[in-house]
């Protein structure tokens, strides 16, 4: 063979070999099938049932909020709306850990439509902005509220509207709301602030219900199939491994948010240096559901890991020969279960009684997620969340 | 010595060195363009509020936001100047300086092939590669000036040596039980790539990981030799194309396969571009011209010899530390340990100061980007560096007698996670350095994980 012919042939071969890496994969082996079983179970047994429950909870919340708006002075109506909020939030907090696809941030998460922030924007919250909306007429109707920022029309705003009973404002004295006397003018009429909050809550609840329906429809109307057919026809996920990575990324919420923020900061374990504890840094400032939210996050994680009735990541670990890791993750979960579920009362009360009262939950949950961060991602060769897709050698 | 000097200074056909220069310039351009188009200039350099520094290079200034973008634009432009051979020497010097500076900004951007690019660029600074096949030469001819002296054999030797150092050390790095006896981390990586067209199904088999592991080891160890021998050159380069083609497809290894594919051509006969492209390149211009002998320059020869010796010895320093270099990572960098470990870690710092009743945790994300955290988690010296920063940060905020300890759990090649760093050692009092680190715990024993194929799923269950 002439040297030049050989060179050109070889170069062509190399180019073709590289190009095939960008082409359609043949994600068809037992590994891919097993992953897709996990993904289907994650969708059918874990996420979709919770979305359906949340849609129902959101509808009930809307109904209860509308009833309160019709009778703002009725404490029973308000209590019913608060109870409906608690149900909805309990469900949503399980879904917080399962942000795969449409709930995720557009551009950052495959299939993301940014619906999570539309429903619950914490920690992007602003109680003062909610108070400003309270005295503006726009918040009295869903259409008026629809164009406002996410931090004044989701569950986080609803928590303030439903659970703050006094008619004071969270805005500082330097805010226009105070300087211009706007809040004072409304608050001068007893019950007016409450009536406006009730009306605003009804509008916000309608928007939450709409987004809940949209999110469920996004899953049942297509995303569920995208997940279950990852690497085998899905347009969102090129490979089953990409989709599995999406699930793993979502589950890291338990470490990055629940442990490091929701527990560590108020418990004084991190980011709280001037006092023993910082209960003011808790998630749920008005309904005081912070502990319940932590428990719901944990339950969502366990469900996502175990896959409900179907095949979960634990079984996938066993199937690929990592039974030892599956056993240790199961054992860590079994150990953490009573510790986390044993949390009761409110977070401030717990820390007041025992400033180190959250430490056992912090450590127990960390023992679970540490196994995911070190070993599970190794076994499945997954990327960590938000990793830059840089080169590696 | 005189004979060696004479052989080294014998003129050579410049064609292969010109091809090398052009390829280097083009690949430098592509590398810079990738940084810009993928946004790595911002995400890897501008986004972090803290930068990890190489030992002894803490003085390297952190560029203001946006400057790295400008540097990559400059590197791209310099690459084009090198490829076309315009103000070649100056462009090469600037390329070497800027490319190296960018690498020194943050250790977490370390890649072996970036180091190779810097080293090749520094070698090229010593060579008048713009003397032939360049716009410089064309302009010189247009001005009626005689061509510059010819390119010399030592230039080929130096570049061949540099490329061979990479391959051989990459092989030596794979001479481990994990790689050769247990097929890891190859097995982990291949099991995640069963979607590869045509051959993906094979990757699920443990035996394939072992075979490919051995093949990679033997390939790296011997390819410089096969490329150097005329008889084996063609099959060797064919194998090289297959090998680097596979690594390009299977791994996120960036420009490495392309750089090595281009760099390996330096082993060819110097006239290979002439044989490949024929008249496009033209005849060798100095073939019939008498060459004036040069006097040996002992200082230059000794300097180059020391540099070459350092290249041989420096990658071997890891053995002086004992233990598993993939675990303690002392001597890991600049030793061409390319793609030889799968390591994931979980790090949290425990901080105490005067008056604090209990330890407080500091999570790395308070200071690091996700990329930095992932890279740091497996590298003890970086964990130490951040511990120093955490201590300094607390001291700056008025806390006294700050102590920093760490819970560093790491899994190597799928093993059970183990503590990488002694949790009782106050890292704020541990100086950084090149000595053996007693605060790094021994690597966990036992075999790495052995993966298996999951059972086939019945048709009706899919």
């Amino acid at each position: 063979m002439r040297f030049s012919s050989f060179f050109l042939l070889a170069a062509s071969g190399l180019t073709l070999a590289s190009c095939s890496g960008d082409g359609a994969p043949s994600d068809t082996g037992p590994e891919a099938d097993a992953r897709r079983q996990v993904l289907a179970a994650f969708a059918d047994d874990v996420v979709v049932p919770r979305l359906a429950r949340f849609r129902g909870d959101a509808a009930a919340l809307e109904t209860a909020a509308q009833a309160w708006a019709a009778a703002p002075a009725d404490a029973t109506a308000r209590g019913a709306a608060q109870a409906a909020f608690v149900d909805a939030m309990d469900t949503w907090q399980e879904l917080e850990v399962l942000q795969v696809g449409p709930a995720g941030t557009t551009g950052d998460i495959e299939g993301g439509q940014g619906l999570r922030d539309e429903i619950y924007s914490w920690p992007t919250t602003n109680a003062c902005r909610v108070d400003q909306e309270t005295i503006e007429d726009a918040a009295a109707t869903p259409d008026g509220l629809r164009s406002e920022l996410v931090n004044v029309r989701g569950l986080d705003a609803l928590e303030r509207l439903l659970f703050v009973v006094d008619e004071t404002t969270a805005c500082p004295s330097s805010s226009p709301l105070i300087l211009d006397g706007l809040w004072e003018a409304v608050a001068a009429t007893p019950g007016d602030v409450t009536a406006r909050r009730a009306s605003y809550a009804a509008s916000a609840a309608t928007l939450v219900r709409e987004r809940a329906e949209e999110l469920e429809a996004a899953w049942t109307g297509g995303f569920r199939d995208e997940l279950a057919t990852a690497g085998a026809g899905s347009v969102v996920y090129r490979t089953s491994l990409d989709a599995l990575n999406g699930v793993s990324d979502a589950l890291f919420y338990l470490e990055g948010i629940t442990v490091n923020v929701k527990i560590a900061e108020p418990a004084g374990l991190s980011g709280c240096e001037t006092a023993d504890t910082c209960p003011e840094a808790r998630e749920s400032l008005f309904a005081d559901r912070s502990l319940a939210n932590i428990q719901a996050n944990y339950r969502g994680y366990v469900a996502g890991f175990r896959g409900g009735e179907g095949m979960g990541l634990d079984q996938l670990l066993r199937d690929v020969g990592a039974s030892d890791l599956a056993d240790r993750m199961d054992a860590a979960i079994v150990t953490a279960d009573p510790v986390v579920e044993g949390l009761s009362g409110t977070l401030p009360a717990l820390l007041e009684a025992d400033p180190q009262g959250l430490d056992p939950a912090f450590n127990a949950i960390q023992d679970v997620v540490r196994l995911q961060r070190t070993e599970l991602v190794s076994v499945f060769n997954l990327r960590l969340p938000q990793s830059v897709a840089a080169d590696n050698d | 010595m005189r004979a060696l000097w004479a052989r080294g200074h014998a003129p050579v056909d410049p064609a292969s060195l010109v091809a090398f220069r052009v390829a280097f310039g083009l690949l430098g351009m592509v590398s810079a363009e990738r940084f810009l188009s993928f946004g790595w200039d911002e995400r890897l350099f501008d986004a972090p509020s803290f930068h990890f520094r190489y030992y002894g290079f803490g003085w390297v200034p952190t560029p203001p936001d946006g400057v790295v973008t400008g540097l990559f634009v400059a590197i791209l432009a310099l690459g084009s100047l090198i490829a076309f051979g315009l103000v070649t020497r100056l462009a090469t010097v600037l390329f070497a300086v800027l490319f190296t500076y960018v690498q020194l900004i943050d250790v977490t951007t370390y890649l072996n092939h970036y180091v190779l690019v810097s080293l090749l660029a520094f070698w090229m600074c010593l060579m008048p590669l713009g003397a032939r096949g360049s716009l410089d030469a064309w302009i010189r001819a247009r001005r009626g000036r005689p061509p510059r002296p010819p390119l010399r054999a030592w230039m080929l030797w130096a570049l061949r040596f540099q490329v061979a150092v990479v391959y051989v050390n990459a092989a030596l790095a794979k001479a481990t039980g994990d790689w050769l006896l247990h097929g890891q981390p190859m097995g982990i990586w291949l099991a995640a790539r069963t979607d590869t067209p045509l051959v993906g199904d094979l990757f699920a088999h443990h035996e394939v990981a072992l075979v490919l592991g051995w093949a990679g080891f033997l390939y790296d160890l011997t390819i410089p030799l096969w490329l150097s021998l005329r008889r084996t050159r063609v099959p060797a380069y064919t194998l090289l194309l297959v090998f680097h083609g596979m690594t390009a497809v299977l791994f996120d290894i960036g420009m490495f396969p392309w750089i090595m594919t281009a760099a390996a051509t330096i082993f060819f006969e110097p006239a290979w571009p002439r044989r490949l492209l024929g008249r496009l390149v033209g005849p060798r211009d100095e073939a019939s011209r008498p060459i004036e002998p040069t006097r040996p320059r002992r200082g230059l020869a000794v300097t180059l010899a020391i540099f070459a010796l350092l290249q041989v010895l420096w990658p071997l320093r890891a053995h002086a530390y004992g233990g598993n270099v993939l675990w303690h990572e002392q001597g890991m960098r600049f030793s061409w340990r390319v793609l030889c470990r799968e390591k994931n870690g979980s790090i949290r710092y425990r901080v105490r100061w005067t008056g604090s009743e209990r330890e407080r945790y500091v999570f790395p994300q308070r200071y690091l980007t996700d990329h930095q955290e992932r890279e740091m988690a497996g590298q003890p010296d970086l964990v130490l560096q951040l511990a120093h920063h955490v201590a300094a940060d607390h001291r700056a905020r008025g806390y006294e007698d700050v102590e920093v300890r760490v819970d560093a759990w790491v899994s190597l090649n799928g093993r059970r996670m183990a503590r990488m760093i002694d949790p009782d050692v106050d890292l704020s009092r541990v100086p950084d350095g090149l000595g053996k680190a007693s605060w790094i715990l021994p690597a966990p024993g036992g075999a790495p994980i052995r993966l298996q194929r999951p059972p086939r799923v019945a048709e009706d269950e899919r």
Side-chain angles (χ1 to χ4, degrees):
Chain A
M1 185 186 294
R2 275 175 53 83
F3 184 77
S4 56
S5 306
F6 148 74
F7 193 94
L8 290 174
L9 183 67
S12 307
L14 182 61
T15 307
L16 277 174
S18 320
C19 288
S20 66
D22 298 328
S26 57
D27 206 8
T28 54
E31 294 77 14
D33 287 341
R35 288 185 204 121
R36 280 190 283 271
Q37 275 194 308
V38 171
L39 296 166
F42 181 80
D44 297 339
D45 296 341
V46 180
V47 178
V48 171
R50 283 170 175 76
L51 288 174
R53 195 193 334 149
F54 180 65
R55 190 235 315 134
D57 290 342
L61 174 60
E62 181 187 26
T63 302
Q66 286 171 342
W68 180 41
D74 183 347
T76 305
R78 182 177 201 148
Q82 289 174 338
F85 172 87
V86 166
D87 289 343
M89 186 57 105
D90 282 351
T91 304
W92 181 256
Q93 288 290 342
E94 292 186 24
L95 286 162
E96 280 280 273
V97 192
L98 308 169
Q99 289 176 49
V100 177
T105 309
T106 311
D108 283 349
I109 306 289
E110 284 102 335
Q113 297 176 21
L115 290 173
R116 182 268 173 186
D117 282 357
E118 297 281 332
I119 292 168
Y120 186 52
S121 67
W122 182 90
T124 307
T125 60
N126 189 332
C128 177
R129 280 282 297 120
V130 173
D131 286 350
Q132 286 176 7
E133 291 295 330
T134 301
I135 64 161
E136 290 174 9
D137 294 336
T141 66
D143 285 339
L145 194 58
R146 208 180 299 276
S147 59
E148 298 294 334
L149 295 175
V150 290
N151 61 359
V152 297
R153 53 187 166 85
L155 288 173
D156 39 303
L158 272 161
E159 183 180 338
R160 175 165 179 80
L161 296 169
L162 292 169
F163 287 89
V164 175
V165 177
D166 63 51
E167 299 198 337
T168 58
T169 174
C171 291
S173 55
S174 57
S175 74
L177 198 69
I178 304 298
L179 291 176
D180 298 345
L182 302 174
W183 184 267
E184 192 180 4
V186 174
T189 307
D192 200 6
V193 168
T194 299
R196 284 172 174 271
R197 280 178 175 155
S199 176
Y200 178 2
S203 301
T206 295
L207 297 185
V208 168
R209 191 261 306 154
E210 288 177 1
R211 295 290 83 76
E213 290 173 352
E214 189 179 344
L215 182 56
E216 186 190 18
W219 271 80
T220 56
F223 187 75
R224 180 267 167 210
D225 292 339
E226 293 291 336
L227 201 59
T229 62
S234 168
V235 295
V236 175
Y237 296 108
R238 193 175 147 271
T239 68
S240 56
L241 190 67
D242 289 344
L244 196 70
N245 219 129
V247 172
S248 171
D249 286 355
L251 294 178
F252 269 114
Y253 181 102
L254 192 70
E255 179 190 62
I257 303 297
T258 309
V259 174
N260 292 1
V261 179
K262 294 185 181 183
I263 297 178
E265 292 187 8
L269 291 165
S270 177
C272 165
E273 294 167 1
T274 54
D276 279 349
T277 61
C278 293
E280 68 280 5
R282 67 194 185 278
E283 177 185 15
S284 174
L285 288 168
F286 311 114
D288 254 328
R289 299 281 303 166
S290 295
L291 295 181
N293 292 353
I294 291 166
Q295 290 167 328
N297 289 166
Y298 176 74
R299 282 194 289 270
Y301 179 93
V302 173
F305 176 70
R306 290 186 168 154
E309 297 296 312
M311 182 167 161
L313 288 167
D314 53 345
Q315 185 59 46
L316 186 61
L317 285 171
R318 294 180 204 287
D319 284 355
V320 301
S323 294
D324 172 61
L325 173 57
D327 289 344
R328 282 182 291 126
M329 287 197 76
D330 273 339
I333 288 170
V334 167
T335 303
D337 273 343
V339 178
V340 177
E341 296 300 342
L343 297 171
S344 60
T346 67
L347 187 144
L350 175 74
L351 292 178
E352 190 174 342
D354 178 6
Q356 296 179 28
L358 272 172
D359 292 15
F362 173 84
N363 289 318
I365 299 178
Q366 272 231 327
D367 287 346
V368 177
V369 293
R370 185 180 291 130
L371 287 166
Q372 182 187 351
R373 178 172 280 275
T374 57
E375 294 186 49
L376 186 142
V377 297
S378 296
V379 169
F380 293 139
N381 198 216
L382 301 174
R383 296 183 315 276
L384 290 167
Q386 299 294 315
S387 291
V388 180
D391 294 338
N392 180 28
D393 74 25
Chain B
M1 183 68 186
R2 280 185 182 280
L4 187 64
W5 182 269
R7 284 187 63 191
H9 277 72
V12 291
D13 188 321
S16 69
L17 284 166
V18 169
F20 186 90
R21 189 204 75 219
V22 171
F24 183 90
L26 293 175
L27 290 171
M29 291 172 67
V30 174
S31 294
E33 194 279 330
R34 279 162 54 83
F35 268 88
L36 295 169
S37 60
F38 292 141
W40 296 341
D41 49 336
E42 293 174 3
R43 297 176 75 176
L44 297 179
F45 297 98
D46 291 348
S49 59
F50 170 78
H51 289 291
F52 291 99
R53 289 296 156 76
Y54 292 96
Y55 179 68
F57 287 87
W59 51 269
V60 171
T62 301
D65 285 358
V67 168
V68 172
T69 304
L71 292 178
F72 277 113
V73 171
I75 290 170
L76 196 154
L78 292 167
S80 70
L81 292 178
I82 294 171
F84 287 106
L86 186 62
V87 288
T88 313
R89 183 78 72 110
L90 178 63
T92 309
V93 170
L94 290 175
F95 183 98
V97 170
L98 293 187
F99 198 87
T100 304
Y101 167 62
V102 167
Q103 290 177 73
L104 290 174
I105 293 171
D106 195 313
V107 182
T108 59
T109 64
Y110 173 89
L111 286 180
N112 287 297
H113 68 268
Y114 294 166
V115 179
L116 175 62
V117 168
S118 278
L119 287 171
L120 290 174
F122 280 114
W123 278 115
M124 291 167 65
C125 290
L126 303 175
M127 307 171 184
L129 293 182
R132 299 290 184 280
S134 63
L135 287 175
D136 286 340
W138 181 78
I139 290 168
R140 195 175 175 89
R142 291 271 293 179
R143 290 176 177 167
R145 298 167 66 183
R148 289 192 179 279
L151 301 181
R152 312 285 181 167
W154 72 265
M155 298 167 192
L156 285 174
W157 298 353
L159 295 174
R160 285 172 182 169
F161 166 78
Q162 187 63 65
V163 175
V165 161
V166 174
Y167 274 122
V168 173
N169 281 292
L172 296 179
K174 293 177 176 67
T176 65
D178 277 15
W179 188 274
L180 297 177
L181 302 181
H182 300 289
Q184 292 296 17
M186 183 69 81
I188 290 174
W189 297 335
L190 293 183
R193 287 158 181 81
T194 53
D195 60 312
T196 305
L198 303 176
V199 293
D201 200 51
L202 294 173
F203 291 165
H205 299 278
H206 175 67
E207 296 75 14
V208 173
L210 275 172
V211 168
L212 289 182
W214 272 95
F217 165 70
L218 293 173
Y219 164 86
D220 280 342
L221 189 65
T222 60
I223 193 70
L225 175 66
W226 309 131
L227 287 171
S228 301
L229 301 175
R230 186 192 299 265
R231 284 190 173 184
T232 54
R233 189 168 293 145
V234 168
Y237 198 72
T238 308
L239 182 65
L240 181 146
L241 292 173
V242 171
F243 177 83
H244 287 304
M246 278 182 63
T247 59
V249 170
L250 292 177
F251 308 120
D252 294 328
I253 198 171
M255 296 299 292
F256 191 77
W258 307 104
I259 290 170
M260 297 311 286
T261 300
T265 60
I266 203 68
F267 287 95
F268 293 177
E269 292 291 335
W272 74 265
R274 232 176 277 284
R275 293 178 62 191
L276 177 69
L277 301 172
R279 289 175 191 158
L280 277 176
V281 175
R284 186 179 168 188
D285 58 352
E286 65 271 79
S288 57
R289 191 148 14 97
I291 302 298
E292 291 181 14
T294 57
R295 282 191 305 117
R297 288 158 63 190
R298 189 179 298 271
L300 177 63
V302 169
T303 304
L304 292 181
I306 291 174
F307 184 58
L309 186 64
L310 194 64
Q311 293 257 20
V312 172
L313 296 179
W314 189 248
L316 302 177
R317 73 192 187 283
H319 299 289
Y321 293 105
N324 185 349
V325 62
L326 300 182
W327 180 256
H328 59 64
E329 305 245 344
Q330 292 199 278
M332 179 81 174
R333 295 186 206 105
F334 310 107
S335 59
W336 312 113
R337 293 174 188 278
V338 181
L339 276 180
C340 52
R341 61 158 168 75
E342 176 65 34
K343 207 171 182 185
N344 287 289
S346 166
I347 307 290
R348 70 177 186 189
Y349 292 95
R350 308 192 320 270
V351 184
R352 184 186 286 277
W353 56 84
T354 300
S356 64
E357 294 194 356
R358 59 171 166 161
E359 289 181 319
R360 309 288 176 131
Y361 294 109
V362 172
F363 305 114
Q365 58 261 40
R366 177 164 163 183
Y367 298 100
L368 306 181
T369 64
D370 291 308
H371 172 78
Q372 287 179 303
E373 183 182 355
R374 190 207 185 291
E375 292 296 319
M376 177 202 67
Q379 303 183 48
D381 65 329
L382 300 190
V383 175
L384 178 67
Q385 227 179 98
L386 186 61
H388 289 171
H389 182 69
V390 169
D393 184 37
H394 279 73
R395 282 189 212 106
R397 286 186 284 126
Y399 298 105
E400 296 177 351
D401 295 328
V402 178
E403 298 174 7
V404 180
R405 294 175 177 78
V406 69
D407 294 320
W409 293 89
V410 173
S411 168
L412 175 64
N413 292 342
R415 282 183 179 81
R416 272 188 177 210
M417 65 177 184
R419 280 193 186 271
M420 184 173 67
I421 294 172
D422 188 337
D424 298 324
V425 172
D426 176 9
L427 295 179
S428 71
R429 294 185 186 3
V430 174
D432 199 357
L434 299 179
K436 184 175 168 63
S438 59
W439 44 276
I440 302 176
L441 296 174
I449 194 167
R450 177 168 173 169
L451 299 178
Q452 66 187 28
R453 287 209 99 164
R456 287 200 176 273
V457 178
E459 193 68 37
D460 59 342
E461 289 182 44
R462 287 181 190 168

